């Protein structure tokens, strides 16, 4: 389902899948671990950044500032033109996609592009996706780069960095690779929380915690 092909050959199925997810994410209140994590992050002397492959926007709904986020796979709360007619990305806002839960097909009218009137799609990086508009994520990455460069002068003077990584598996290893790259670059520590895949490469300093995210947060950040 997570393929741009669905939007091309059967948009009511593509939007059936993503419209249903959008409603589920809207109805879900992020658990208390998000707030604990935010308070910890805000107490750090040089600030923090979130790097996530989650597309649900729950960090922001838990209070994380928009300008401290890198969403490497995009965010379901933003849309783009399926044809990318003008490189525009816009917020879905309160608009709803009605899904018939018997057929899991979205009901017309489907979200459309405000520029050309054609089909819109979530601004999410799907599998085999050559049409994703990555401009929003690229802006986030530029902000992250500036922040990282600003703390690197501190790490030379003994400041330490830490990465708290939660539930990032090896199947799609983008987040794991990012954590390892950041720790190697800033000589930081990695705390890898994962119930099944908590292993850290030998050359990195860190702690392996075979726990779920919420339990680990509650134990680490009281
Ligand atoms: Zn368009």
């Amino acid at each position: 389902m997570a393929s741009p092909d669905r939007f091309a050959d059967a948009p009511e199925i593509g939007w059936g899948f993503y419209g249903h997810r959008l409603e589920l994410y809207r109805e879900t209140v992020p658990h208390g671990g998000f707030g604990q994590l935010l308070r910890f992050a805000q107490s750090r002397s040089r600030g923090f950044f979130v790097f996530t492959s989650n597309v649900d926007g729950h960090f922001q709904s838990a209070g994380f500032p928009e300008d401290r986020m890198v969403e490497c796979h995009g965010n379901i709360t933003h849309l783009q033109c399926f044809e990318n007619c003008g490189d525009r990305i816009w917020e879905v806002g309160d608009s709803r996609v009605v899904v018939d839960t018997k057929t899991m097909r979205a009901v017309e009218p489907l979200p459309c592009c405000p520029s050309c009137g054609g089909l819109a799609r979530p601004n999410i990086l799907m599998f085999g996706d050559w049409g994703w508009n990555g401009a929003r994520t690229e802006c986030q990455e530029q902000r992250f780069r500036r922040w990282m460069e600003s703390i690197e002068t501190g790490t030379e003077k003994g400041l330490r960095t830490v990465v708290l990584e939660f539930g990032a598996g090896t199947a799609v290893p983008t987040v794991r690779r990012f954590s390892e790259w950041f720790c190697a670059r800033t000589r930081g520590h990695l705390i890898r929380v994962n119930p099944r895949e908590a292993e850290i490469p030998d050359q990195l300093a860190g702690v392996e915690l075979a726990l779920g995210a919420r339990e680990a947060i509650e134990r680490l950040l009281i």
Side-chain angles (χ1 to χ4, degrees):
M1 286 296 180
S3 161
D5 293 348
R6 292 296 76 68
F7 287 86
D9 61 28
E12 73 282 4
I13 295 178
W15 267 118
F17 178 66
Y18 280 104
H20 184 244
R21 282 178 69 182
L22 178 62
E23 285 307 309
L24 290 178
Y25 293 152
R26 278 172 169 162
E27 289 165 9
T28 304
V29 177
H31 65 65
F34 282 85
Q36 280 177 284
L37 208 51
L38 178 59
R39 285 191 291 281
F40 172 77
Q42 287 173 328
S43 70
R44 302 300 91 194
S45 63
R46 297 296 184 98
F48 66 94
F49 240 91
V50 174
F51 184 96
T52 183
S53 60
N54 294 354
V55 297
D56 53 23
H58 280 176
F59 278 101
Q60 290 93 324
S61 51
F64 282 81
E66 187 69 44
D67 64 355
R68 302 280 98 184
M69 299 288 307
V70 176
E71 295 167 298
C72 62
H73 292 168
N75 186 323
I76 200 167
T77 62
H78 287 70
L79 305 183
Q80 65 170 85
C81 177
F82 185 71
E83 299 291 346
N84 244 330
C85 67
D87 276 344
R88 189 169 161 190
I89 296 169
W90 66 95
E91 289 190 51
V92 67
D94 294 330
S95 59
R96 306 192 93 78
V97 182
V98 179
V99 179
D100 180 338
T101 51
K102 286 202 181 75
T103 63
M104 287 310 289
R105 285 166 189 261
V107 178
E108 300 271 356
L110 302 180
C112 64
C113 169
S115 301
C116 71
L119 183 68
R121 53 162 274 184
N123 183 225
I124 287 177
L125 178 62
M126 303 178 201
F127 293 97
D129 192 351
W130 302 103
W132 181 53
N133 182 348
R136 182 172 167 271
T137 296
E138 282 162 24
C139 286
Q140 295 178 329
E141 287 168 347
Q142 282 172 11
R143 278 196 289 269
F144 167 76
R145 283 260 167 195
R146 286 198 292 274
W147 174 76
M148 184 175 68
E149 285 160 13
S150 79
I151 62 165
E152 278 178 327
T153 52
T155 56
E156 286 158 14
K157 295 175 193 153
L159 189 85
R160 304 307 299 269
T161 60
V162 64
V163 172
L164 304 177
E165 182 196 276
F166 301 99
T170 54
V172 182
T174 317
V175 173
R176 278 172 94 94
R177 284 194 191 138
F178 175 84
S179 305
E180 290 167 10
W181 169 81
F182 181 82
C183 285
R185 175 154 175 165
T186 64
R187 296 188 296 280
H189 277 77
L190 172 59
I191 298 178
R192 172 161 281 162
V193 178
N194 192 306
R196 290 173 300 279
E197 299 176 299
E199 303 78 24
I200 293 176
D202 290 341
Q203 64 272 25
L204 286 179
V207 181
E208 302 170 351
L209 291 178
L211 293 171
R214 186 177 187 177
E215 187 182 358
I217 291 168
E218 284 172 356
R219 290 200 194 184
L220 285 169
L221 308 178
I222 297 168

